[in-house]
Amino acid sequence: WQETAVDIAGRTRVSGSAPDIGCFEADQFVAALEVVASVVRGVAPLTVVFTPRVYGLPGTQTIEWDLEGADSWNVESAGAVTKTFAAGRWTVRARVKGSDGIQSAPIEIVSSPKTLYVDPACGTPEFPYGDEDHAATTVAEAYDAAVDGCEIVLAPTTHTLAGTLFVQKGVMLRGATDDAADTVITLPSKSPKRVLMMQHPQAFMSALTVTGGACDGNFSDRNNGGAVYVNPRGGSISNC
C-alpha cells in the first residue's frame, strides 16, 4: 500500500527503494483539503500560487476560494490559482464545492511594502507601515513587518528599543535625512547588551547614530557590549 501513499505534504511515501522514516502519511480514505502556497511572505506586489490537494474524494473536485479574506468565495478552480497581493496582511481559504464543510486551514499572506516607515510620534500607525502618515511607532514593529529586500526609514528623532534588535533579514535601516546626527537608535540606560546585532549578509544600515548598550564583564557573550556587532553571517554599515 505504501507504493501509492503520500505523506501530508503530498510527497510519495516511498523514498528510493523503501519507505521514508517516520509516520507522516495522509489517510487517503478521509476526505480532506490541503492548500500549499508557493510563498507566504514577500515584497509587494506579491504573486502567490495556491495549489489544492484533495484527499478521500473520487474524481476531480471544484475548489472554491476566498482570496481576500472577506468570506467572498468568488473564485472557482479545478487546480492551482494565482493571486497578486498588494501590501498588507491577507488570509486565504479554500473549500471543496458542494461538500459538507471540507475546508482547508487558513493561510496568512504577508505582502510588505518596499519601504516601511518608523516615527514614534505617529498618531495613526497602521500595518504595513508603507507611508509616513501610517508609520510604525517602533523599529521592532517595522522590522517584524519587513521581508528581505525592504528598506526601513527612521524619522529624525531618538528611537529607544526595548531590547537588542537582531537583524536577521536582508533589510536596510536608514535615517530619513541621510545625516547620522539626526537619527539615533539606543537602548534604555545601562542595558548590558548590544543595541543591534547584524546577522545577515544583505543587512545594511546607513545614516544612523547608534548609542547605548553596555558590557557587564561577560566577554564570552557577543551580545554583551555596546552599539553594533556584525557577526560572521555578515552585514554592512555606512555613514553611521
Side-chain angles (χ1 to χ4, degrees):
W1 66 269
Q2 296 186 29
E3 292 180 355
T4 58
V6 295
D7 63 24
I8 61 175
R11 295 183 291 264
T12 56
R13 180 70 171 88
V14 174
S15 177
S17 60
D20 59 2
I21 298 174
C23 297
F24 195 59
E25 304 86 14
D27 190 336
Q28 303 298 292
F29 301 100
V30 175
L33 172 62
E34 177 191 28
V35 174
V36 177
S38 59
V39 62
V40 295
R41 295 179 67 93
V43 176
L46 180 65
T47 299
V48 184
V49 178
F50 298 96
T51 303
R53 292 171 177 156
V54 180
Y55 304 105
L57 294 174
T60 300
Q61 302 296 318
T62 297
I63 308 301
E64 297 177 318
W65 299 88
D66 175 20
L67 298 174
E68 305 288 347
D71 206 27
S72 56
W73 305 102
N74 56 359
V75 175
E76 294 185 1
S77 76
V81 298
T82 300
K83 169 74 174 177
T84 299
F85 295 90
R89 183 181 286 120
W90 310 88
T91 300
V92 171
R93 296 177 297 163
R95 66 188 181 191
V96 178
K97 184 176 183 178
S99 67
D100 184 18
I102 300 176
Q103 184 170 310
S104 69
I107 298 176
E108 183 179 81
I109 303 297
V110 177
S111 181
S112 299
K114 181 69 174 179
T115 303
L116 300 89
Y117 295 87
V118 184
D119 184 354
C122 180
T124 53
E126 183 178 323
F127 183 92
Y129 317 120
D131 60 71
E132 294 179 356
D133 291 337
H134 301 95
T137 55
T138 69
V139 178
E141 287 174 331
Y143 176 79
D144 288 344
V147 297
D148 288 350
C150 287
E151 177 186 47
I152 301 174
V153 178
L154 281 63
T157 186
T158 296
H159 301 260
T160 302
L161 306 180
T164 302
L165 180 64
F166 293 87
V167 185
Q168 299 173 326
K169 305 174 188 176
V171 300
M172 177 178 182
L173 299 170
R174 178 175 66 82
T177 66
D178 293 328
D179 184 344
D182 293 339
T183 308
V184 178
I185 299 181
T186 189
L187 284 173
S189 178
K190 298 182 180 179
S191 295
K193 60 186 70 176
R194 302 280 184 184
V195 181
L196 294 172
M197 292 281 284
M198 306 284 278
Q199 299 179 325
H200 193 286
Q202 275 75 56
F204 190 84
M205 58 181 294
S206 174
L208 298 169
T209 294
V210 182
T211 184
C215 182
D216 63 5
N218 181 11
F219 298 103
S220 63
D221 182 359
R222 293 175 177 175
N223 189 30
N224 198 327
V228 183
Y229 180 82
V230 180
N231 85 354
R233 295 190 186 95
S236 300
I237 301 173
S238 174
N239 187 30
C240 290

